[in-house]
């Protein structure tokens, strides 16, 4: 078993941080900007979903999508629970995880991927055919970040973590996205979002943060 990884990118970090929280050690293979294939011999041209992270199991099964990989490990190693225990918690975790993904994580795609020279003709991740960058989506990305910051600040005024009082994969996705955005923007979390800032500082102290950096 191994995970195709891209150290600098925010999505593979979601899985590294999740594994670190669980105390699991899965070998990583760095595939960098070439993204990853579903096997070492495959290429972006032959793999329709050539994104990092991708988990390759010993039987050759390849699982991409960070949340699918996390679900696999959560089922095999339930404790500590990072995806909720009961029906309601599971639903609330999934709701906030998806909001974090579609908020700051999509903001990175729209703001960086559509402007940076490294992604010319690679406007969408993991796709072999040339995809134009669309500079017009940068502003939309800023809006995603702004709206998520406001709504999660409100939520974090009521609870310790994104999806309630327990740390979860929703915190992992939000943290990985905001920590990555801190490299692009001076203040990814605005000063007035005091609850979000409190949460960010608290999560930053978890051992899984340096372990996954
Ligand atoms: N929906 C996927 C997104 C994965 C993704 O976009 N990964 C990026 C790195 S952050 C990637 O592999 N990009 C490959 C490329 O640039 O072609 C997930 O949640 O895992």
């Amino acid at each position: 078993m191994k995970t195709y990884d891209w150290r600098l990118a925010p999505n593979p970090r979601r899985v590294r941080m999740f594994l670190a929280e669980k105390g699991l050690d899965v070998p990583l293979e760095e595939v960098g900007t070439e993204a990853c294939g579903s096997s070492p011999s495959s290429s972006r041209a032959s793999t329709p979903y050539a994104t990092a992270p991708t988990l390759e199991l010993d039987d050759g099964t390849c699982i991409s999508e960070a949340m699918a990989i996390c679900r696999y490990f959560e089922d095999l190693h339930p404790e500590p629970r990072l995806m909720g225990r009961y029906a309601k918690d599971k639903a609330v975790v999934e709701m906030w995880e998806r909001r974090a993904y579609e908020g700051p994580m999509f903001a990175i795609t729209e703001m960086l991927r559509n402007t940076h020279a490294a992604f010319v003709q690679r406007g969408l991740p993991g796709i072999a055919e040339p995809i134009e960058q669309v500079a017009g989506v940068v502003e939309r990305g800023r809006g995603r970040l702004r709206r998520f910051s406001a709504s999660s600040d409100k939520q974090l005024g009521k609870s310790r973590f994104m999806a309630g009082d327990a740390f979860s994969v929703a915190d992992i996705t939000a943290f990985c996205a905001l920590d990555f955005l801190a490299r692009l923007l001076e203040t990814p979390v605005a000063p007035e979002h005091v609850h979000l800032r409190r949460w960010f500082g608290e999560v930053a102290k978890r051992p899984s943060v340096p372990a996954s950096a």
Side-chain angles (χ1 to χ4, degrees):
M1 177 195 289
K2 67 178 162 189
T3 302
Y4 295 98
D5 189 42
W6 179 357
R7 199 82 202 166
L8 284 179
N11 281 296
R13 189 183 187 191
R14 291 157 76 199
V15 167
R16 292 198 307 273
M17 193 167 162
F18 185 91
L19 293 172
E21 288 282 340
K22 294 249 177 216
L24 298 172
D25 195 15
V26 174
L28 301 174
E29 182 174 320
E30 172 71 31
V31 289
T33 55
E34 285 311 305
C36 62
S38 59
S39 77
S41 59
S42 67
S43 66
R44 291 174 73 227
S46 64
T47 312
Y49 303 105
T51 50
T54 292
L55 171 69
E56 185 173 286
L57 303 180
D58 292 340
D59 70 359
T61 304
C62 285
I63 302 165
S64 63
E65 297 302 324
M67 276 310 97
I69 298 171
C70 292
R71 166 62 57 207
Y72 176 79
F73 288 111
E74 179 89 348
D75 284 349
L76 286 180
H77 305 275
E79 300 295 341
R81 297 268 172 184
L82 295 172
M83 301 179 101
R85 183 177 297 273
Y86 303 111
K88 188 172 94 174
D89 323 324
K90 286 182 181 176
V92 173
V93 167
E94 187 165 337
M95 175 178 77
W96 278 102
E97 196 285 329
R98 186 60 69 92
R99 288 174 177 173
Y101 187 65
E102 293 186 2
M105 198 59 89
F106 268 29
I108 295 170
T109 304
E110 292 184 334
M111 292 159 74
L112 177 70
R113 200 167 183 104
N114 284 280
T115 49
H116 198 283
F119 298 109
V120 168
Q121 295 296 330
R122 293 177 62 195
L124 291 173
I127 294 182
E129 70 197 67
I131 307 272
E132 292 287 338
Q133 289 176 308
V134 182
V137 298
V138 171
E139 205 39 53
R140 192 171 67 185
R142 289 204 185 97
R144 284 182 190 275
L145 177 60
R146 205 172 41 244
R147 285 188 296 276
F148 176 79
S149 298
S151 68
S152 61
D153 182 62
K154 213 166 154 194
Q155 164 75 354
L156 290 163
K158 293 182 282 184
S159 65
R160 183 172 169 202
F161 294 110
M162 288 283 165
D165 290 329
F167 181 82
S168 76
V169 75
D171 298 289
I172 291 179
T173 295
F175 183 86
C176 291
L178 291 173
D179 200 37
F180 187 90
L181 280 164
R183 296 185 218 167
L184 305 180
L185 309 168
E186 221 169 275
T187 47
V189 178
E192 66 268 27
H193 292 144
V194 291
H195 305 298
L196 187 56
R197 293 178 85 86
R198 183 273 301 155
W199 164 89
F200 189 87
E202 188 176 339
V203 175
K205 291 194 193 109
R206 297 179 79 87
S208 61
V209 167
S212 61

